[in-house]
Amino acid sequence: MNRREFLTSTALAAMAVSLRSSGIPPGMSLPDSSTHGTTGFVPDVDLELSAKPTSNEILPGLMTGVWSYRGRLLQGRAGTLEESGSYLGPTIRLHRGDRVRIRFRNELPDSTIVHWHGLTVPALMDGHPRLVIASGKDYVYEFEVRNRAGQYWYHPHPDQRTGAQIYRGLAGLLFVHDEEEASLRLPSGENEIPLVIQDRAFQSNELVYISGRMDAMTGFLGDKILVNGKTDHELTLSTGVYRLRILNASNSRIYKLAWSNKIPFTIIGTDGGLLEKPLRKPYLTISPAERVDVLVDLSNEAAGSSLELRSGGFHAAQMMMGRGMMGGGMMGGMSRNTYGGLEQGSEFKILSVRVVKKEKSNFRIPNRLSQPGFRNLNGAESPDKARVFNLSFMAMQWLLNDSTFEMQSTKDNETWKAGTLQTFEFRNASTGMMRMMQMAHPMHVHGGQFQVLQRTPGTDTQGMAASLREGFTDEGWKDTVLVLPGETVRLLMQFPQFKGLFLYHCHNLEHEDMGMMRNYRLT
Ligand code: C2O
Ligand code: CU
Ligand code: CU
């Protein structure tokens, strides 16, 4: 098989970089309560969700083979499920306090499981890879929505194949609404626009993914930018105020979002919901899995004008082996994953906006948005002694504290009490061998949420921090944070009352699949 046949073969999922054995057979058995639903659970929202192979028009006029989530509402308020109009799954809208049942059916030729990114749910409802179900099987999720109003998303989470499955199309948005949000009367309907940003690569009309371990070390980078599942996205707007709900659902790409006419962003929310008050930023640095809720005021634009949402250039600290030390030689071909040459940190257009009509808007951005209920260090288990997690690299693999993923186990520093407040430190070391292996890692923690307490920069050898710093969206409750090369990021983590095994990992999906993921246990 030549490279091209290999890349475009239907066995895309099998191409995940297998560096270790998964430890359990696919489709291991599940507790009955989660396969059939619990007697006694009375849902407010009941829906079916399936994952299956299909085809979709991503490139104009051409059909592309994809894997998609499709849903059907069995019970619940109108508007709970909204078709995406693309390969993306239906948008799910829930309210805080809803009891939700989701009957998931795996119609893929591969095992899978669904994770509700950012939602605080019991361990068996969280889509841990040990819970994967085989092709043809069902998994019934039942949980209560505890999260504040905010933008979340759902995606697969099988061990070593999360990157390949999300890449093929498996992802969808999930919004939570609550009364605090409703009282603000933020732009809604046509004035609330979800933007799911992803990069992809094609050979003729079919998707192509990474082709080996070298590609996986940097992570997949595609040369086509998709917004809501389409290339060359264009928004036709009026001169009002719009609420853009942005998700970076790319495997590895970091965006530096900026308007072509330099208007600043007004941020009203991040991963875990609304901020206390709106904030202005010249640009937004958004790494894989992060969300930003922004308002854009077009009232000073003339009808007939147009603008672009762009990703600005930045210095991406690539692993030096790509170009320097090992480039071309023993490790040749590191840049192959940048299909079409759109490297990390390149500058490009994301979408264009055409302002077509004048409209009077009397929406004023409120000065106070919400009471996020922040915690402080006093409540933490050991405020001065953080749990340290080194983002490390050894034997051609990204690791956490020098360990790779193990399906069922945790180490001593990975167990603590449910319901507690913990201090975490993610250290992206820059000493010794690691100096040559610098990369930014978007670190994600399941189960709980955190506040970013502090970033301690290291030596910014490649200028990455300087070119991205002003755009960090560290405010509010978060579940994913970008840790730059050399940096130490200190977090205050709030864990839920649920007991059991949860994950923390790098959300560069190729890193995650390679084993830059570990369990922690709440006792
Ligand atoms: Cu987006 Cu482990 O998650
Ligand atoms: Cu998650
Ligand atoms: Cu990483």
Side-chain angles (χ1 to χ4, degrees):
M1 217 195 259
N2 67 30
R3 173 177 159 88
R4 182 188 164 129
E5 281 161 357
F6 179 59
L7 287 172
T8 55
S9 77
T10 50
L12 191 83
M15 298 179 355
V17 186
S18 237
L19 298 173
R20 55 214 160 79
S21 69
S22 72
I24 55 150
M28 68 174 280
S29 65
L30 296 162
D32 276 344
S33 61
S34 20
T35 47
H36 305 300
T38 325
T39 42
F41 182 90
V42 184
D44 303 300
V45 174
D46 198 345
L47 54 94
E48 283 176 354
L49 190 74
S50 61
K52 56 180 123 200
T54 176
S55 61
N56 196 271
E57 187 180 334
I58 302 172
L59 302 167
L62 293 170
M63 295 307 275
T64 299
V66 294
W67 288 359
S68 277
Y69 288 120
R70 286 298 170 245
R72 193 162 72 96
L73 185 64
L74 304 175
Q75 182 198 325
R77 62 186 81 72
T80 298
L81 275 191
E82 198 185 324
E83 284 309 317
S84 68
S86 72
Y87 61 77
L88 293 168
T91 296
I92 304 175
R93 288 189 186 265
L94 302 173
H95 289 226
R96 190 175 194 178
D98 278 353
R99 274 158 311 172
V100 183
R101 177 185 289 148
I102 301 173
R103 306 150 190 260
F104 174 65
R105 167 152 299 178
N106 178 9
E107 295 176 33
L108 302 171
D110 191 11
S111 54
T112 195
I113 193 73
V114 188
H115 168 58
W116 319 97
H117 182 122
L119 289 191
T120 296
V121 295
L124 287 177
M125 301 297 136
D126 197 47
H128 188 283
R130 74 185 188 283
L131 305 172
V132 291
I133 51 168
S135 180
K137 295 278 193 271
D138 296 333
Y139 196 102
V140 180
Y141 293 90
E142 288 172 339
F143 55 81
E144 186 186 318
V145 179
R146 298 178 172 228
N147 290 62
R148 304 165 65 225
Q151 180 175 10
Y152 305 94
W153 63 302
Y154 59 99
H155 62 72
H157 222 302
D159 185 27
Q160 302 179 56
R161 298 191 308 287
T162 294
Q165 291 194 1
I166 294 180
Y167 185 74
R168 276 227 131 169
L170 294 172
L173 287 174
L174 191 157
F175 290 106
V176 174
H177 300 288
D178 65 13
E179 278 161 25
E180 188 184 51
E181 180 198 36
S183 72
L184 295 170
R185 303 188 173 286
L186 295 167
S188 61
E190 283 187 354
N191 288 60
E192 184 192 14
I193 305 174
L195 297 174
V196 179
I197 309 175
Q198 298 177 302
D199 59 339
R200 293 291 183 266
F202 295 85
Q203 267 172 11
S204 53
N205 55 320
E206 296 300 337
L207 289 166
V208 287
Y209 189 48
I210 56 165
S211 63
R213 187 185 295 199
M214 296 309 301
D215 286 358
M217 281 198 287
T218 43
F220 171 86
L221 293 165
D223 62 342
K224 288 264 186 301
I225 304 301
L226 275 51
V227 175
N228 300 342
K230 308 280 177 200
T231 57
D232 298 312
H233 199 80
E234 188 179 83
L235 294 170
T236 307
L237 307 178
S238 320
T239 55
V241 179
Y242 289 86
R243 182 182 186 189
L244 305 181
R245 314 203 61 180
I246 305 170
L247 160 67
N248 179 356
S250 308
N251 285 35
S252 302
R253 189 176 289 282
I254 299 162
Y255 300 92
K256 181 179 177 180
L257 304 182
W259 294 106
S260 54
N261 63 359
K262 307 269 185 330
I263 50 177
F265 289 92
T266 302
I267 307 175
I268 59 168
T270 55
D271 298 350
L274 294 167
L275 304 179
E276 282 181 288
K277 45 182 195 291
L279 273 177
R280 293 208 146 196
K281 308 244 177 191
Y283 60 86
L284 302 176
T285 301
I286 172 167
S287 66
E290 284 190 296
R291 288 88 70 204
V292 227
D293 194 349
V294 300
L295 294 177
V296 52
D297 184 353
L298 298 176
S299 52
N300 294 324
E301 306 299 309
S305 63
S306 55
L307 59 150
E308 285 182 353
L309 181 61
R310 300 187 59 82
S311 190
F314 59 88
H315 297 283
Q318 295 286 358
M319 292 191 296
M320 286 198 180
M321 49 194 293
R323 294 178 189 141
M325 183 171 93
M326 304 185 193
M330 68 186 265
M331 295 290 166
M334 269 304 288
S335 58
R336 264 189 336 200
N337 63 331
T338 60
Y339 294 99
L342 200 62
E343 288 181 47
Q344 188 76 283
S346 308
E347 204 186 321
F348 49 84
K349 181 181 98 171
I350 291 173
L351 59 83
S352 42
V353 175
R354 282 197 304 135
V355 183
V356 292
K357 71 173 194 281
K358 257 300 186 224
E359 209 170 69
K360 264 248 158 303
S361 152
N362 24 30
F363 175 77
R364 292 283 162 272
I365 298 174
N367 296 323
R368 291 261 143 219
L369 295 166
S370 111
Q371 291 179 310
F374 287 139
R375 302 291 310 270
N376 66 54
L377 267 175
N378 298 334
E381 195 184 67
S382 44
D384 313 313
K385 202 168 160 293
R387 294 180 185 275
V388 174
F389 302 96
N390 290 302
L391 316 185
S392 54
F393 185 87
M394 257 170 38
M396 312 311 284
Q397 263 206 91
W398 292 108
L399 302 163
L400 293 170
N401 279 344
D402 296 341
S403 301
T404 191
F405 183 57
E406 294 165 278
M407 190 62 84
Q408 307 277 359
S409 56
T410 51
K411 297 197 169 168
D412 290 349
N413 67 333
E414 292 171 322
T415 299
W416 49 88
K417 280 218 150 24
T420 53
L421 196 63
Q422 303 281 333
T423 45
F424 265 39
E425 241 176 57
F426 286 122
R427 290 188 189 163
N428 196 350
S430 60
T431 52
M433 256 309 266
M434 292 304 295
R435 285 187 86 88
M436 253 100 52
M437 301 298 165
Q438 290 196 321
M439 270 195 80
H441 301 281
M443 296 305 301
H444 170 51
V445 186
H446 285 219
Q449 287 179 329
F450 54 78
Q451 293 160 241
V452 178
L453 294 177
Q454 197 185 351
R455 284 179 182 268
T456 310
T459 35
D460 189 14
T461 44
Q462 299 178 52
M464 190 171 195
S467 63
L468 288 176
R469 196 161 26 215
E470 283 175 88
F472 288 138
T473 52
D474 287 346
E475 298 81 10
W477 284 110
K478 298 276 296 171
D479 55 57
T480 307
V481 64
L482 184 63
V483 186
L484 294 180
E487 239 181 5
T488 293
V489 178
R490 191 175 254 254
L491 311 172
L492 187 59
M493 285 278 338
Q494 174 69 65
F495 288 95
Q497 287 297 345
F498 304 123
K499 297 186 165 135
L501 270 194
F502 292 90
L503 296 167
Y504 65 104
H505 60 86
C506 179
H507 221 290
N508 176 317
L509 298 178
E510 287 70 40
H511 292 183
E512 171 184 340
D513 283 342
M514 177 187 283
M516 197 178 189
M517 172 162 81
R518 295 281 306 168
N519 288 321
Y520 69 85
R521 186 185 299 278
L522 296 181
T523 59

